[in-house]
Amino acid sequence: MRFLPGTPRALGLAAALAATAMAGPAAPQPASRTARAPRAAEEGGKAPARAEAGATPLRGSLGVPVGERLLSSSDPAARLRGIERLGAIGTEEAVSALLAALDQHGAPGARDPRTRLAAVRALAPHAQRDSVRQLLARELSESAPARGAASPLGEVLRGTAALALARTGERRALGVLVNAIVQGGAAGEAAARAIKAHPPASLQLLLGSRKRIEPALARFLGDLGDLRAIAALRPMLEGGDRAAQVAAARALARLGDEAALAKARAWLRKPEPGLFEPTAEILVYLGAPEAADAVAALLGSELGRMEGLRLAELGPAERLAPALARALPLLPDDARPRAVAAIGRAGGAEAARQLRRVLNERPELATAAAFALATMPGAEARAAVAELFDGPRAAKDADLRRLGLRAGVVRGLVLRDAPEALEKRLLAALAAPIGSSDRAVGVFGAVALGLRDAVDVVGACSPSSCDRAAVHAAARGALARGERALAALAPLFAALAAPGGDPAPGAASAAKSGDAALDAAAISAGVALLAEPGGGAIATSRLAALAEAGGPLSPLAARALASRDDEVVRGRIERLLEGSDPVVRAHVALGLGSDPMPDSVSLLARAYRFEDDPAVRRAIVRGLSRRAEVQRRRVLVAARDLDPDEGVRALARAALSGAGARALDMPRSALATGVVWVAIVPNDRSASGSASSRPARLVRPDGLAVPVVADPDGVLLVPAVPPGASAVLLAPAAPPGDAGS
């Protein structure tokens, strides 16, 4: 800093402090600390007098008025800066100013969700103050979608307010959350998640001076999993309120306390209306010998059938297989595949026999039954799978044979227990005509089980000459073989994805999914981008076109494009990061983690602030975990402490604890052992051709999008999927009325 001649250095430093307060938020200062003027260092300079005791800190006195002016602005960005400034100052005066601005219902942006979310985050460190606690309680309840259209940020705002209260561990704050749980609804769910994230030091802080525990609170205590709740729940079993008895017994059963068993058996001996379902649940949770019979009775009743299915999924038992099979035709259509899967989980020879019956008598459930047999341990299930592709009917029924081959491959991938004849039959299928469904099944199985290399099976392939069905199957099979097999497909992808290469006449293409020059074989070969996150040899301009096309390849192309960020493509990356597709936004965030531009951390920080999709926020945290810039810390701390999503908080904790970037990467093959089996079934028979070789995007449970194309008979098998729920989005390449099942 330069000084004019004769100007004391202290005056210059004071001016600098004033400029700093105007430029950005200052560090919090205690209200009681006094400002100290710096000493004059120049020879002959006069030291300024000390500030009077109790004077307002210099940083606070300069920052609060500026923050108030920003809050009254009509510019949303200025209001957000004002909130962050006052929150960073943190003095009582600053907090009061922020609360006053939010309480003025006519003030600019007072009901704007972004303004309120920023305010809740800024006030969270002060949640022990009565006035702040009241505001957080109001945000918890008012953010619930009770009337009108809910804001997409409503759930984030509600969850953030609940976490801010729970983090205090203070009795009155926890009382607000308990009251929300008792009231139920969206606020109650947010409160329950917050207390689970920050369990209280003492359960008495939750129970307070309550003379009775409401049923909703009893249910929550069971879900909380804190064994200290047993002492408070046991007396409720003998109370006069039947609803309280039922809630307490269910909660105790969830906690593994057998005090509920005697009550459940008493209810079983003297059945009452409305008691049989909770009784069966208690027996299932406690593993009682009577549990299977109780669940079977529910499956046989019209009103309790769906609850019986849920309990059969919760507590599988061999004795339930016949009851599930009898209930199968009585269940709603969308629940029948669940029942078939529950038969498979029941296990044993009887379950295998019932699944064989389903295969023979219910063709609409054949895929579900084959998948259940493929994933069911035991010699009976293995023999049933072998019979599908190697039995007497297989030679005459091509559909049944392919079903059996697929089930055998799934069994080999998931259980490492493939039937002996599977390898021979798969290799025989490789000799089927080019482009046929039989050859596609053989290619997929041979590649997935390591019998053949994907590149060798595909052979020479160009946009004008290619066995596209083999490419689709080999690419999906390569997913099971790891990154090396996927990387081997990179040259094929580069050749097929080059601009200007029109697909062969009659070949399936992604024209209707956004890119008229992209052949469907290129979509399949695009799995190479899983092994080459930077895009490999694909030109940046081509990656940008693919990312903006909106097809199945768009997410992986967007990730690669973001990792090549520069001044030329920055605008396109920002548009993708702000786009309407959350899967693409998430992949842009992942790519920015490897961005060579140091200011990309600011893009990630801005994207996190008001992102309403938890999967995108997880990707942002993953991206930030790979960055070294200091700006990442503020976002990661906010995500760790106040993000409503448990997955986001866990990732942020790992990043802040110093876990390496590889530790936060997507799960490797050790965890990705699941297989997704999808049969595309047209709603209209006239549209049956639209299911053939249909492009799709599979979003794995970890958020990574995999481009895939179905076999000619409309079946998708996708291996190497981590545990959890996946989502499949079909490319809009068929007439309306088509749907995937």
Side-chain angles (χ1 to χ4, degrees):
M1 182 181 296
R2 296 182 179 179
F3 299 96
L4 296 175
T7 303
R9 189 180 293 267
L11 180 60
L13 184 54
L17 282 175
T20 301
M22 293 289 290
Q29 294 289 333
S32 60
R33 187 174 296 176
T34 58
R36 293 186 179 180
R39 297 178 180 176
E42 283 189 338
E43 207 173 327
K46 296 182 179 180
R50 287 182 178 271
E52 296 180 6
T56 303
L58 178 61
R59 194 173 287 173
S61 64
L62 291 171
V64 172
V66 174
E68 290 176 319
R69 286 198 298 273
L70 289 171
L71 275 175
S72 62
S73 171
S74 59
D75 179 12
R79 292 197 300 269
L80 292 174
R81 289 199 303 273
I83 290 170
E84 292 172 354
R85 178 181 294 274
L86 293 174
I89 292 171
T91 62
E92 185 172 354
E93 181 186 6
V95 171
S96 298
L98 181 51
L99 289 169
L102 294 172
D103 285 336
Q104 297 175 11
H105 294 288
R111 305 313 302 162
D112 174 37
R114 293 192 171 202
T115 300
R116 292 157 58 197
L117 178 57
V120 167
R121 287 171 174 163
L123 292 170
H126 313 285
Q128 290 182 328
R129 300 187 185 186
D130 288 341
S131 54
V132 175
R133 184 175 60 255
Q134 292 167 10
L135 179 135
L136 294 174
R138 186 169 70 242
E139 292 297 343
L140 174 64
S141 59
E142 291 185 0
S143 299
R147 58 186 183 277
S151 165
L153 280 177
E155 184 176 353
V156 180
L157 177 55
R158 192 164 51 246
T160 304
L163 283 169
L165 290 166
R167 287 180 68 240
T168 66
E170 194 262 335
R171 178 179 57 82
R172 289 173 293 182
L174 292 173
V176 171
L177 297 174
V178 170
N179 289 336
I181 291 172
V182 172
Q183 293 296 321
E189 294 172 2
R193 289 191 296 267
I195 295 178
K196 289 177 185 177
H198 298 283
S202 168
L203 280 186
Q204 196 57 40
L205 293 172
L206 290 180
L207 302 179
S209 58
R210 278 179 162 76
K211 294 183 179 179
R212 62 179 293 271
I213 299 177
E214 296 87 345
L217 181 55
R219 288 192 294 270
F220 169 71
L221 292 175
D223 292 338
L224 185 60
D226 192 329
L227 297 181
R228 295 175 298 176
I230 292 175
L233 291 169
R234 279 181 175 175
M236 296 176 63
L237 293 176
E238 305 305 325
D241 186 346
R242 181 51 56 86
Q245 288 182 13
V246 171
R250 277 177 152 168
L252 287 168
R254 286 175 176 264
L255 294 171
D257 182 51
E258 293 194 354
L261 190 56
K263 180 65 68 174
R265 284 172 172 162
W267 291 336
L268 200 60
R269 288 191 298 269
K270 297 180 180 180
E272 297 181 23
L275 277 183
F276 198 73
E277 291 183 13
T279 299
E281 179 181 313
I282 293 166
L283 296 173
V284 168
Y285 269 108
L286 294 177
E290 307 94 329
D293 291 338
V295 174
L298 278 176
L299 288 167
S301 67
E302 183 177 356
L303 296 179
R305 192 166 289 123
M306 289 302 297
E307 178 67 8
L309 176 57
R310 184 184 73 85
L311 294 177
E313 294 170 327
L314 183 65
E318 290 187 29
R319 291 160 55 193
L320 287 176
L324 285 163
R326 288 192 297 270
L328 193 58
L330 304 174
L331 288 165
D333 290 348
D334 58 350
R336 290 175 186 175
R338 288 175 52 196
V340 172
I343 294 173
R345 283 197 287 272
E350 179 61 22
R353 189 176 73 83
Q354 295 293 346
L355 291 172
R356 281 179 170 175
R357 284 187 57 189
V358 173
L359 282 165
N360 293 330
E361 300 174 5
R362 297 189 171 275
E364 75 279 6
L365 294 173
T367 298
F371 188 79
L373 285 168
T375 54
M376 188 176 86
E380 298 90 350
R382 183 174 64 250
V385 170
E387 185 179 352
L388 292 176
F389 65 80
D390 204 31
R393 291 176 53 197
K396 301 177 182 179
D397 191 338
D399 291 338
L400 181 66
R401 184 175 62 252
R402 288 195 298 271
L403 185 72
L405 288 174
R406 287 173 173 132
V409 174
V410 171
R411 189 172 186 86
L413 292 172
V414 176
L415 299 180
R416 303 292 190 268
D417 185 30
E420 291 182 5
L422 179 65
E423 180 177 340
K424 175 183 175 182
R425 296 300 181 188
L426 286 174
L427 295 179
L430 287 176
I434 289 178
S436 66
S437 296
D438 285 346
R439 186 166 191 269
V441 172
V443 169
F444 171 78
V447 174
L449 296 177
L451 307 177
R452 291 288 187 273
D453 182 76
V455 175
D456 292 341
V457 171
V458 171
C461 190
S462 67
S464 59
S465 175
C466 191
D467 181 359
R468 286 168 174 75
V471 174
H472 306 329
R476 285 185 280 108
L479 291 167
R481 308 311 303 168
E483 291 188 356
R484 183 174 298 179
L486 295 173
L489 294 171
L492 175 63
F493 174 57
L496 293 173
D502 294 331
S509 72
K512 295 184 181 179
S513 64
D515 188 350
L518 188 65
D519 189 275
I523 294 176
S524 289
V527 296
L529 291 177
L530 293 169
E532 296 189 348
I538 307 299
T540 300
S541 59
R542 187 58 173 158
L543 286 174
L546 294 174
E548 295 168 344
L553 264 177
S554 181
L556 291 182
R559 181 178 71 162
L561 180 68
S563 70
R564 299 184 183 183
D565 182 23
D566 59 22
E567 294 180 358
V568 177
V569 299
R570 170 59 67 90
R572 304 176 83 166
I573 292 173
E574 289 178 338
R575 287 192 294 274
L576 290 169
L577 191 58
E578 297 169 358
S580 60
D581 188 342
V583 179
V584 172
R585 296 202 303 271
H587 283 70
V588 173
L590 292 173
L592 289 174
S594 303
D595 184 355
M597 304 286 283
D599 65 338
S600 63
V601 69
S602 299
L603 288 181
L604 290 169
R606 286 198 301 271
Y608 176 84
R609 293 172 76 194
F610 304 118
E611 175 56 59
D612 58 88
D613 192 295
V616 181
R617 298 201 302 275
R618 290 184 211 124
I620 291 172
V621 171
R622 287 186 191 274
L624 287 170
S625 71
R626 303 185 71 91
R627 309 299 307 186
E629 294 85 356
V630 69
Q631 295 96 316
R632 77 177 195 139
R633 180 170 178 80
R634 182 178 178 184
V635 181
L636 290 175
V637 169
R640 178 197 65 189
D641 294 342
L642 295 173
D643 196 285
D645 182 73
E646 183 180 0
V648 175
R649 295 197 302 272
L651 288 169
R653 280 195 301 270
L656 289 168
S657 68
R662 294 287 290 184
L664 292 175
D665 276 348
M666 302 302 182
R668 301 289 167 178
S669 57
L671 290 177
T673 57
V675 179
V676 172
W677 189 336
V678 177
I680 304 173
V681 181
N683 294 331
D684 186 352
R685 291 185 179 181
S686 64
S688 58
S690 65
S692 178
S693 301
R694 183 74 173 270
R697 179 177 77 188
L698 176 98
V699 182
R700 305 187 333 179
D702 57 13
L704 202 61
V706 182
V708 291
V709 180
D711 286 335
D713 57 357
V715 176
L716 269 170
L717 273 180
V718 186
V721 179
S726 298
V728 177
L729 177 66
L730 300 180
D738 192 18
S741 67

